[in-house]
Coordinates of all heavy atoms in Angstrom, one line a residue:
M1098 N 8.1 -18.2 20.3 CA 9.5 -18.3 20.7 C 10.4 -18.4 19.4 O 10.2 -19.0 18.5 CB 9.7 -19.6 21.4 CG 11.1 -20.0 21.8 SD 11.2 -21.6 22.6 CE 11.7 -21.0 24.2
H1099 N 11.4 -17.5 19.4 CA 12.3 -17.5 18.3 C 13.3 -18.7 18.3 O 13.6 -19.2 19.3 CB 13.2 -16.1 18.4 CG 12.3 -14.9 18.3 ND1 11.7 -14.5 17.2 CD2 11.9 -14.0 19.2 CE1 11.0 -13.5 17.3 NE2 11.1 -13.1 18.6
G1100 N 13.8 -19.0 17.1 CA 14.7 -20.0 17.0 C 14.2 -21.4 16.7 O 15.0 -22.3 16.3
L1101 N 12.9 -21.7 17.0 CA 12.4 -23.0 16.7 C 12.3 -23.2 15.2 O 11.8 -22.3 14.5 CB 11.0 -23.2 17.3 CG 11.0 -23.3 18.9 CD1 9.5 -23.4 19.4 CD2 11.8 -24.4 19.4
S1102 N 12.7 -24.3 14.7 CA 12.6 -24.5 13.3 C 11.7 -25.7 13.0 O 11.5 -26.6 13.9 CB 13.9 -24.8 12.7 OG 14.6 -26.1 13.2
K1103 N 11.1 -25.7 11.8 CA 10.2 -26.8 11.5 C 10.7 -27.3 10.2 O 11.3 -26.6 9.3 CB 8.7 -26.3 11.2 CG 8.1 -25.7 12.4 CD 6.7 -25.9 12.5 CE 6.1 -25.5 13.8 NZ 4.9 -26.2 14.2
E1104 N 10.5 -28.6 9.9 CA 11.1 -29.2 8.8 C 10.1 -30.2 8.1 O 9.3 -30.9 8.9 CB 12.3 -30.1 9.2 CG 13.0 -30.7 8.0 CD 14.3 -31.5 8.4 OE1 14.1 -32.5 9.1 OE2 15.3 -31.0 8.0
R1105 N 10.0 -30.2 6.8 CA 9.2 -31.1 6.1 C 10.0 -31.7 5.0 O 10.8 -31.1 4.4 CB 8.0 -30.2 5.4 CG 7.2 -29.4 6.3 CD 6.2 -30.3 7.1 NE 5.2 -29.4 7.8 CZ 5.4 -29.0 9.1 NH1 6.6 -29.3 9.7 NH2 4.6 -28.4 9.8
I1106 N 9.8 -33.0 4.8 CA 10.6 -33.8 3.8 C 9.7 -34.5 2.8 O 8.8 -35.2 3.2 CB 11.5 -34.8 4.6 CG1 12.4 -34.0 5.5 CG2 12.3 -35.6 3.5 CD1 13.2 -34.9 6.5
N1107 N 10.0 -34.4 1.5 CA 9.4 -35.1 0.5 C 10.4 -36.0 -0.2 O 11.5 -35.6 -0.5 CB 8.8 -34.2 -0.6 CG 7.5 -33.6 -0.2 OD1 6.7 -34.2 0.5 ND2 7.2 -32.4 -0.8
C1108 N 10.2 -37.3 -0.2 CA 11.0 -38.2 -0.9 C 10.3 -38.8 -2.2 O 9.2 -39.1 -2.2 CB 11.3 -39.4 0.0 SG 12.2 -38.9 1.5
F1109 N 11.1 -38.8 -3.3 CA 10.6 -39.2 -4.6 C 11.4 -40.4 -5.1 O 12.6 -40.4 -5.0 CB 10.6 -38.1 -5.6 CG 9.8 -36.8 -5.2 CD1 10.4 -35.9 -4.4 CD2 8.5 -36.8 -5.5 CE1 9.7 -34.7 -4.1 CE2 7.7 -35.7 -5.1 CZ 8.3 -34.7 -4.3
S1110 N 10.7 -41.4 -5.6 CA 11.3 -42.6 -6.1 C 11.7 -42.5 -7.5 O 11.2 -41.6 -8.2 CB 10.3 -43.8 -6.0 OG 9.8 -43.9 -4.7
E1111 N 12.7 -43.3 -7.9 CA 13.1 -43.4 -9.2 C 11.9 -44.0 -10.0 O 11.3 -45.0 -9.6 CB 14.3 -44.4 -9.3 CG 14.8 -44.7 -10.7 CD 15.7 -43.6 -11.2 OE1 16.3 -42.9 -10.5 OE2 15.6 -43.4 -12.5
L1112 N 11.5 -43.4 -11.2 CA 10.4 -43.9 -12.0 C 10.9 -44.0 -13.4 O 10.5 -43.2 -14.3 CB 9.2 -43.0 -11.9 CG 8.6 -42.8 -10.6 CD1 7.5 -41.7 -10.5 CD2 7.9 -44.1 -10.2
G1113 N 11.7 -45.0 -13.7 CA 12.2 -45.2 -15.0 C 12.8 -43.9 -15.6 O 13.6 -43.3 -15.0
G1114 N 12.4 -43.7 -16.8 CA 12.9 -42.4 -17.5 C 12.1 -41.2 -17.1 O 12.4 -40.1 -17.6
L1115 N 11.1 -41.3 -16.3 CA 10.3 -40.1 -16.0 C 10.8 -39.3 -14.8 O 10.7 -38.1 -14.8 CB 8.9 -40.6 -15.5 CG 8.1 -41.4 -16.6 CD1 6.7 -41.9 -16.0 CD2 7.8 -40.4 -17.8
Q1116 N 11.5 -39.9 -13.8 CA 11.9 -39.2 -12.6 C 13.1 -39.9 -12.0 O 13.1 -41.1 -11.8 CB 10.7 -39.1 -11.7 CG 11.0 -38.5 -10.3 CD 9.7 -38.5 -9.5 OE1 8.8 -37.7 -9.8 NE2 9.6 -39.4 -8.5
K1117 N 14.0 -39.1 -11.5 CA 15.1 -39.7 -10.7 C 14.8 -39.6 -9.3 O 14.0 -38.7 -8.9 CB 16.4 -38.9 -11.1 CG 16.9 -39.0 -12.5 CD 18.2 -38.3 -12.6 CE 18.7 -38.5 -14.1 NZ 20.0 -37.9 -14.3
A1118 N 15.3 -40.5 -8.5 CA 15.1 -40.4 -7.1 C 15.7 -39.2 -6.5 O 16.7 -38.8 -6.9 CB 15.7 -41.7 -6.4
M1119 N 15.0 -38.5 -5.6 CA 15.5 -37.4 -5.0 C 14.7 -37.1 -3.6 O 13.6 -37.6 -3.5 CB 15.4 -36.1 -5.8 CG 14.0 -35.6 -6.0 SD 14.0 -34.0 -6.9 CE 12.5 -34.1 -7.7
T1120 N 15.3 -36.2 -2.9 CA 14.6 -35.8 -1.5 C 14.6 -34.2 -1.6 O 15.7 -33.6 -1.9 CB 15.4 -36.3 -0.3 OG1 15.5 -37.7 -0.4 CG2 14.8 -35.8 1.0
L1121 N 13.5 -33.7 -1.2 CA 13.4 -32.2 -1.1 C 13.1 -32.0 0.4 O 12.1 -32.6 1.0 CB 12.2 -31.6 -1.9 CG 12.4 -31.7 -3.4 CD1 11.2 -31.2 -4.1 CD2 13.5 -30.7 -3.8
R1122 N 13.9 -31.1 1.0 CA 13.7 -30.8 2.4 C 13.4 -29.3 2.5 O 14.1 -28.5 2.0 CB 15.0 -31.2 3.2 CG 15.0 -30.9 4.6 CD 16.3 -31.3 5.3 NE 16.1 -32.8 5.5 CZ 16.9 -33.7 4.8 NH1 17.8 -33.2 4.0 NH2 16.8 -35.0 5.1
Y1123 N 12.3 -29.0 3.3 CA 11.9 -27.6 3.5 C 12.0 -27.3 4.9 O 11.5 -28.1 5.8 CB 10.5 -27.4 3.0 CG 10.1 -27.9 1.6 CD1 9.7 -29.2 1.3 CD2 10.4 -27.0 0.6 CE1 9.5 -29.5 0.0 CE2 10.1 -27.4 -0.7 CZ 9.7 -28.7 -1.0 OH 9.4 -29.1 -2.3
V1124 N 12.8 -26.3 5.3 CA 12.9 -25.9 6.7 C 12.5 -24.4 6.9 O 12.9 -23.6 6.1 CB 14.4 -26.1 7.1 CG1 14.6 -25.7 8.6 CG2 14.9 -27.5 6.8
G1125 N 11.8 -24.2 7.9 CA 11.5 -22.8 8.3 C 11.8 -22.5 9.7 O 11.7 -23.3 10.6
Q1126 N 12.3 -21.3 9.9 CA 12.7 -20.9 11.2 C 12.3 -19.4 11.5 O 12.7 -18.6 10.7 CB 14.2 -21.0 11.4 CG 14.7 -20.7 12.8 CD 16.1 -21.1 13.0 OE1 16.9 -21.4 12.1 NE2 16.7 -21.0 14.2
E1127 N 11.7 -19.2 12.6 CA 11.4 -17.9 13.0 C 12.6 -17.1 13.6 O 13.3 -17.7 14.4 CB 10.3 -17.8 14.1 CG 9.8 -16.5 14.5 CD 8.9 -16.5 15.7 OE1 8.7 -17.6 16.3 OE2 8.2 -15.5 16.0
L1128 N 12.9 -15.9 13.1 CA 14.0 -15.1 13.6 C 13.4 -13.9 14.1 O 12.2 -13.5 13.9 CB 14.9 -14.9 12.4 CG 15.5 -16.1 11.8 CD1 16.4 -15.7 10.6 CD2 16.4 -16.9 12.8
P1129 N 14.2 -13.1 14.9 CA 13.7 -11.9 15.5 C 13.0 -10.9 14.6 O 11.9 -10.2 14.9 CB 14.9 -11.2 16.1 CG 15.8 -12.4 16.4 CD 15.6 -13.3 15.2
D1130 N 13.5 -10.7 13.3 CA 12.9 -9.8 12.4 C 12.1 -10.3 11.2 O 11.9 -9.7 10.2 CB 14.0 -8.8 11.8 CG 14.7 -7.9 12.9 OD1 14.1 -7.7 13.9 OD2 15.9 -7.7 12.8
G1131 N 11.9 -11.6 11.3 CA 11.2 -12.2 10.2 C 11.2 -13.8 10.2 O 11.3 -14.4 11.3
F1132 N 11.3 -14.4 9.1 CA 11.2 -15.8 9.0 C 12.2 -16.2 7.9 O 12.2 -15.6 6.8 CB 9.8 -16.3 8.6 CG 9.5 -17.7 8.9 CD1 9.0 -18.0 10.2 CD2 9.5 -18.7 7.9 CE1 8.8 -19.4 10.5 CE2 9.2 -20.0 8.2 CZ 8.8 -20.3 9.5
E1133 N 13.0 -17.3 8.1 CA 13.9 -17.8 7.1 C 13.4 -19.2 6.6 O 12.9 -20.0 7.4 CB 15.3 -18.0 7.7 CG 16.2 -18.7 6.7 CD 17.6 -19.0 7.4 OE1 17.7 -19.9 8.1 OE2 18.5 -18.3 6.9
L1134 N 13.4 -19.4 5.3 CA 13.0 -20.5 4.7 C 14.3 -21.1 4.0 O 15.0 -20.3 3.4 CB 11.9 -20.4 3.7 CG 10.5 -20.1 4.3 CD1 9.6 -19.6 3.2 CD2 10.0 -21.3 4.9
R1135 N 14.4 -22.4 4.0 CA 15.5 -23.1 3.3 C 14.9 -24.2 2.5 O 14.0 -24.9 3.0 CB 16.5 -23.6 4.2 CG 17.3 -22.6 4.9 CD 18.4 -23.1 5.8 NE 17.7 -23.6 7.0 CZ 18.2 -24.6 7.8 NH1 19.2 -25.3 7.5 NH2 17.5 -24.9 8.9
V1136 N 15.4 -24.5 1.3 CA 15.1 -25.7 0.5 C 16.3 -26.3 0.2 O 17.4 -25.8 -0.2 CB 14.3 -25.3 -0.7 CG1 14.0 -26.5 -1.6 CG2 12.9 -24.7 -0.4
C1137 N 16.4 -27.7 0.4 CA 17.5 -28.5 0.1 C 17.1 -29.7 -0.9 O 16.0 -30.3 -0.6 CB 18.1 -29.1 1.3 SG 19.5 -30.1 1.1
K1138 N 17.8 -29.8 -1.9 CA 17.5 -30.9 -2.9 C 18.8 -31.9 -2.8 O 19.9 -31.5 -3.0 CB 17.4 -30.4 -4.3 CG 17.2 -31.5 -5.4 CD 17.1 -30.9 -6.7 CE 16.9 -31.8 -7.8 NZ 16.8 -31.2 -9.0
E1139 N 18.5 -33.2 -2.6 CA 19.5 -34.2 -2.6 C 19.1 -35.1 -3.7 O 18.0 -35.7 -3.7 CB 19.5 -34.9 -1.2 CG 19.8 -34.1 -0.1 CD 19.6 -34.7 1.3 OE1 19.3 -35.9 1.4 OE2 19.6 -34.0 2.3
Q1140 N 20.1 -35.4 -4.6 CA 19.9 -36.2 -5.7 C 21.2 -36.7 -6.3 O 22.1 -35.9 -6.4 CB 19.1 -35.5 -6.8 CG 18.7 -36.3 -8.0 CD 17.8 -35.6 -9.0 OE1 18.1 -34.4 -9.3 NE2 16.8 -36.2 -9.5
E1141 N 21.3 -38.0 -6.5 CA 22.5 -38.7 -7.0 C 23.7 -38.3 -6.3 O 24.8 -38.1 -6.8 CB 22.6 -38.4 -8.5 CG 21.5 -38.9 -9.4 CD 21.6 -38.6 -10.8 OE1 22.1 -37.5 -11.2 OE2 21.1 -39.4 -11.7
G1142 N 23.6 -38.3 -4.9 CA 24.8 -38.0 -4.0 C 25.1 -36.5 -4.0 O 26.1 -36.1 -3.3
L1143 N 24.5 -35.7 -4.6 CA 24.7 -34.2 -4.6 C 23.6 -33.5 -3.8 O 22.4 -33.9 -3.8 CB 24.7 -33.6 -6.0 CG 25.7 -34.3 -7.0 CD1 25.5 -33.6 -8.4 CD2 27.1 -33.9 -6.6
Q1144 N 24.1 -32.5 -3.2 CA 23.1 -31.6 -2.4 C 23.2 -30.2 -2.8 O 24.3 -29.7 -2.9 CB 23.5 -31.8 -0.9 CG 22.4 -31.1 0.1 CD 22.8 -31.4 1.5 OE1 23.5 -32.3 1.9 NE2 22.1 -30.7 2.4
R1145 N 22.0 -29.5 -2.8 CA 22.0 -28.1 -3.2 C 21.0 -27.5 -2.2 O 19.9 -28.1 -2.0 CB 21.5 -27.9 -4.6 CG 21.2 -26.5 -5.0 CD 20.7 -26.4 -6.4 NE 20.3 -25.1 -6.7 CZ 19.5 -24.8 -7.7 NH1 19.1 -25.7 -8.6 NH2 19.1 -23.5 -7.9
E1146 N 21.4 -26.4 -1.6 CA 20.6 -25.7 -0.6 C 20.5 -24.2 -0.9 O 21.5 -23.6 -1.3 CB 21.1 -25.9 0.8 CG 20.2 -25.2 1.9 CD 20.7 -25.5 3.2 OE1 20.6 -26.6 3.7 OE2 21.2 -24.5 3.8
E1147 N 19.3 -23.7 -0.8 CA 19.1 -22.3 -0.9 C 18.3 -21.7 0.3 O 17.5 -22.4 0.8 CB 18.3 -22.0 -2.2 CG 19.1 -22.3 -3.4 CD 18.3 -21.8 -4.7 OE1 17.3 -21.1 -4.6 OE2 18.9 -22.1 -5.8
R1148 N 18.6 -20.5 0.6 CA 17.9 -19.9 1.7 C 17.3 -18.5 1.3 O 17.8 -17.9 0.4 CB 18.9 -19.5 2.8 CG 19.6 -20.7 3.5 CD 20.7 -20.3 4.4 NE 21.4 -21.4 4.9 CZ 21.4 -21.8 6.2 NH1 20.7 -21.0 7.1 NH2 22.0 -22.8 6.6
C1149 N 16.2 -18.2 2.1 CA 15.6 -16.9 1.8 C 15.1 -16.3 3.1 O 14.4 -17.0 3.9 CB 14.4 -17.1 0.9 SG 13.6 -15.6 0.4
F1150 N 15.5 -15.1 3.4 CA 15.0 -14.5 4.7 C 13.9 -13.5 4.3 O 13.9 -12.7 3.4 CB 16.1 -13.6 5.3 CG 15.6 -12.9 6.5 CD1 15.3 -13.6 7.7 CD2 15.5 -11.5 6.6 CE1 14.8 -12.9 8.8 CE2 15.0 -10.8 7.6 CZ 14.7 -11.5 8.7
L1151 N 12.7 -13.7 5.0 CA 11.5 -12.9 4.7 C 11.3 -11.9 5.8 O 10.8 -12.3 6.9 CB 10.3 -13.8 4.6 CG 10.5 -15.0 3.5 CD1 9.3 -15.9 3.7 CD2 10.6 -14.5 2.1
Q1152 N 11.8 -10.7 5.6 CA 11.7 -9.8 6.7 C 10.3 -9.3 6.9 O 9.5 -9.1 6.0 CB 12.5 -8.5 6.2 CG 12.6 -7.5 7.4 CD 13.9 -6.7 7.2 OE1 14.7 -6.8 6.4 NE2 13.9 -5.6 8.1
G1153 N 10.0 -9.2 8.2 CA 8.6 -8.8 8.7 C 7.6 -9.8 8.6 O 6.4 -9.6 8.9
V1154 N 7.9 -11.1 8.1 CA 6.9 -12.1 8.0 C 6.8 -12.8 9.3 O 7.7 -13.2 9.9 CB 7.3 -13.2 6.8 CG1 6.4 -14.3 6.8 CG2 7.3 -12.4 5.5
S1155 N 5.5 -12.9 9.8 CA 5.3 -13.6 11.1 C 5.5 -15.1 11.0 O 5.6 -15.7 9.9 CB 3.8 -13.3 11.5 OG 2.9 -14.0 10.6
R1156 N 5.6 -15.7 12.2 CA 5.9 -17.1 12.3 C 4.7 -17.9 11.6 O 4.9 -18.8 10.9 CB 5.9 -17.5 13.7 CG 6.0 -19.1 14.0 CD 6.1 -19.5 15.4 NE 4.9 -19.1 16.2 CZ 3.7 -19.7 16.1 NH1 3.5 -20.7 15.4 NH2 2.7 -19.2 16.9
E1157 N 3.5 -17.4 11.9 CA 2.3 -18.0 11.3 C 2.3 -18.0 9.7 O 2.1 -19.1 9.1 CB 1.0 -17.4 11.8 CG 0.7 -17.7 13.3 CD 1.5 -16.7 14.1 OE1 2.1 -15.6 13.7 OE2 1.5 -16.9 15.4
S1158 N 2.6 -16.9 9.2 CA 2.7 -16.7 7.7 C 3.8 -17.6 7.2 O 3.7 -18.2 6.2 CB 2.9 -15.3 7.4 OG 1.7 -14.5 7.7
G1159 N 5.0 -17.6 7.9 CA 6.2 -18.3 7.4 C 5.9 -19.8 7.5 O 6.2 -20.5 6.5
E1160 N 5.2 -20.3 8.5 CA 4.9 -21.6 8.6 C 3.8 -22.1 7.5 O 3.8 -23.2 6.9 CB 4.4 -22.1 9.9 CG 5.5 -22.1 10.9 CD 5.1 -22.3 12.4 OE1 3.8 -22.6 12.6 OE2 6.0 -22.3 13.2
M1161 N 2.9 -21.2 7.1 CA 2.0 -21.4 6.1 C 2.7 -21.5 4.7 O 2.4 -22.4 3.9 CB 1.0 -20.3 6.0 CG -0.2 -20.6 5.0 SD -1.5 -19.4 5.1 CE -0.7 -17.8 4.9
L1162 N 3.7 -20.7 4.5 CA 4.5 -20.7 3.2 C 5.3 -22.1 3.2 O 5.3 -22.7 2.2 CB 5.4 -19.6 3.2 CG 4.8 -18.2 2.8 CD1 5.8 -17.1 3.0 CD2 4.3 -18.2 1.4
L1163 N 5.8 -22.4 4.4 CA 6.6 -23.7 4.5 C 5.7 -24.9 4.1 O 6.0 -25.7 3.3 CB 7.1 -23.8 5.9 CG 7.8 -25.2 6.2 CD1 9.1 -25.3 5.4 CD2 8.0 -25.3 7.7
Q1164 N 4.4 -24.9 4.7 CA 3.6 -26.0 4.4 C 3.2 -26.0 2.9 O 3.0 -27.1 2.3 CB 2.3 -25.9 5.2 CG 1.4 -27.1 5.2 CD 2.1 -28.3 5.9 OE1 3.0 -28.2 6.7 NE2 1.6 -29.5 5.5
F1165 N 2.9 -24.8 2.4 CA 2.5 -24.7 0.9 C 3.7 -25.3 0.0 O 3.4 -26.1 -0.9 CB 2.3 -23.3 0.5 CG 1.9 -23.1 -0.9 CD1 0.7 -23.3 -1.4 CD2 2.9 -22.7 -1.9 CE1 0.3 -23.1 -2.7 CE2 2.6 -22.7 -3.2 CZ 1.3 -22.8 -3.6
L1166 N 4.9 -24.9 0.3 CA 6.0 -25.5 -0.5 C 6.1 -27.0 -0.4 O 6.2 -27.7 -1.4 CB 7.3 -24.9 0.0 CG 7.6 -23.3 -0.2 CD1 8.8 -22.9 0.6 CD2 7.7 -23.1 -1.7
Y1167 N 5.9 -27.5 0.8 CA 5.9 -28.9 1.0 C 4.8 -29.6 0.4 O 5.0 -30.6 -0.4 CB 5.9 -29.2 2.5 CG 5.7 -30.6 2.9 CD1 6.6 -31.6 2.7 CD2 4.5 -31.0 3.4 CE1 6.3 -32.9 3.1 CE2 4.2 -32.3 3.8 CZ 5.2 -33.2 3.6 OH 4.8 -34.5 3.9
E1168 N 3.6 -29.2 0.6 CA 2.4 -29.8 0.0 C 2.4 -29.9 -1.5 O 1.8 -30.8 -2.1 CB 1.1 -29.4 0.6 CG 0.9 -29.7 2.0 CD -0.4 -29.2 2.6 OE1 -1.2 -28.6 1.8 OE2 -0.6 -29.3 3.8
N1169 N 3.0 -28.8 -2.1 CA 3.0 -28.8 -3.5 C 4.2 -29.2 -4.2 O 4.5 -29.1 -5.4 CB 2.7 -27.3 -4.0 CG 1.2 -27.0 -3.7 OD1 0.3 -27.3 -4.4 ND2 1.0 -26.3 -2.6
A1170 N 5.2 -29.7 -3.3 CA 6.5 -30.3 -3.7 C 7.2 -29.2 -4.7 O 7.7 -29.6 -5.8 CB 6.3 -31.6 -4.3
V1171 N 7.2 -28.0 -4.3 CA 7.8 -27.0 -5.1 C 9.3 -27.3 -5.2 O 9.9 -27.3 -4.2 CB 7.5 -25.5 -4.6 CG1 8.2 -24.5 -5.4 CG2 6.0 -25.3 -4.5
P1172 N 9.8 -27.4 -6.5 CA 11.2 -27.8 -6.6 C 12.1 -26.6 -6.4 O 11.7 -25.4 -6.4 CB 11.3 -28.1 -8.1 CG 10.1 -27.5 -8.8 CD 9.1 -27.4 -7.8
I1173 N 13.3 -26.9 -6.1 CA 14.3 -25.8 -5.7 C 14.5 -24.9 -6.8 O 14.8 -23.6 -6.6 CB 15.6 -26.4 -5.2 CG1 16.5 -25.4 -4.4 CG2 16.4 -27.1 -6.3 CD1 17.6 -26.0 -3.7
E1174 N 14.3 -25.3 -8.0 CA 14.5 -24.5 -9.2 C 13.4 -23.4 -9.3 O 13.6 -22.3 -10.0 CB 14.4 -25.3 -10.5 CG 15.6 -26.3 -10.6 CD 15.4 -27.6 -9.8 OE1 14.3 -27.8 -9.3 OE2 16.4 -28.4 -9.8
N1175 N 12.2 -23.5 -8.6 CA 11.2 -22.6 -8.7 C 10.7 -21.9 -7.4 O 9.8 -21.1 -7.4 CB 9.9 -23.3 -9.4 CG 10.2 -23.9 -10.7 OD1 10.4 -25.2 -10.8 ND2 10.3 -23.0 -11.7
W1176 N 11.3 -22.3 -6.3 CA 10.7 -22.0 -5.0 C 10.8 -20.5 -4.8 O 9.8 -19.9 -4.2 CB 11.3 -22.7 -3.9 CG 12.6 -22.3 -3.4 CD1 13.8 -22.4 -4.0 CD2 12.8 -21.7 -2.1 NE1 14.8 -21.8 -3.2 CE2 14.2 -21.4 -2.1 CE3 12.1 -21.4 -1.0 CZ2 14.8 -20.8 -1.0 CZ3 12.7 -20.9 0.1 CH2 14.0 -20.5 0.1
K1177 N 11.8 -19.8 -5.2 CA 11.8 -18.3 -5.0 C 10.9 -17.6 -5.7 O 10.3 -16.6 -5.2 CB 13.3 -17.9 -5.2 CG 14.2 -18.2 -4.1 CD 15.6 -17.6 -4.2 CE 16.5 -18.0 -3.0 NZ 17.8 -17.4 -3.1
D1178 N 10.5 -18.1 -7.0 CA 9.4 -17.4 -7.7 C 8.1 -17.6 -7.0 O 7.3 -16.7 -7.0 CB 9.4 -18.1 -9.1 CG 10.6 -17.8 -10.0 OD1 11.2 -16.8 -9.8 OD2 10.9 -18.7 -10.8
V1179 N 7.9 -18.7 -6.4 CA 6.6 -19.0 -5.7 C 6.5 -18.1 -4.4 O 5.5 -17.5 -4.2 CB 6.5 -20.5 -5.3 CG1 5.4 -20.7 -4.4 CG2 6.4 -21.4 -6.5
L1180 N 7.6 -18.0 -3.7 CA 7.7 -17.1 -2.6 C 7.4 -15.6 -2.9 O 6.7 -14.9 -2.2 CB 9.1 -17.2 -1.9 CG 9.3 -18.4 -1.1 CD1 10.7 -18.4 -0.5 CD2 8.2 -18.7 -0.1
Q1181 N 8.0 -15.2 -4.0 CA 7.8 -13.9 -4.5 C 6.4 -13.5 -4.8 O 5.9 -12.5 -4.3 CB 8.7 -13.6 -5.7 CG 8.9 -12.2 -6.1 CD 10.0 -12.0 -7.2 OE1 10.0 -12.8 -8.1 NE2 10.8 -11.0 -7.1
E1182 N 5.6 -14.4 -5.4 CA 4.2 -14.3 -5.7 C 3.4 -14.3 -4.3 O 2.5 -13.5 -4.2 CB 3.7 -15.4 -6.7 CG 4.2 -15.1 -8.0 CD 3.6 -13.8 -8.6 OE1 2.4 -13.6 -8.5 OE2 4.4 -13.1 -9.2
A1183 N 3.8 -15.3 -3.5 CA 3.0 -15.5 -2.2 C 3.2 -14.2 -1.4 O 2.2 -13.9 -0.6 CB 3.5 -16.7 -1.6
Q1184 N 4.4 -13.6 -1.3 CA 4.6 -12.4 -0.4 C 3.7 -11.3 -0.8 O 3.4 -10.4 0.1 CB 6.0 -12.0 -0.5 CG 6.9 -12.9 0.4 CD 8.3 -12.2 0.5 OE1 9.1 -12.4 -0.4 NE2 8.5 -11.6 1.6
K1185 N 3.2 -11.2 -2.0 CA 2.3 -10.2 -2.4 C 1.0 -10.3 -1.6 O 0.2 -9.3 -1.5 CB 2.0 -10.2 -3.9 CG 3.2 -10.0 -4.8 CD 2.9 -10.1 -6.2 CE 4.1 -9.9 -7.1 NZ 3.9 -10.2 -8.5
M1186 N 0.6 -11.4 -1.1 CA -0.6 -11.6 -0.3 C -0.4 -11.1 1.1 O -1.5 -11.1 1.8 CB -0.9 -13.1 -0.4 CG -1.2 -13.6 -1.8 SD -1.4 -15.4 -1.7 CE -2.6 -15.5 -3.1
F1187 N 0.7 -10.9 1.5 CA 0.9 -10.5 3.0 C 1.1 -9.0 3.2 O 1.5 -8.3 2.4 CB 2.2 -11.2 3.6 CG 2.0 -12.7 3.6 CD1 2.7 -13.5 2.7 CD2 1.2 -13.4 4.5 CE1 2.7 -14.9 2.7 CE2 1.1 -14.8 4.5 CZ 1.8 -15.5 3.6

């Protein structure tokens, strides 16, 4: 069924000088011609979101990519590079 979206959320705590608190949200949605992925980073009251439409990617493959991004806590700064490499496998 088209239009259903799935969301995964990673929350990270403040760890002294090592890491600032932040939330990474990964959202995937099947569309008629492929799959859309979104990554949102919320940190210090600021929000940044990026989207990527993967033409011809099935729901199953899109959801697998979504789960990979989530489980590996891929940051918004690197997620498109990861997707580019992963798409070579499809």
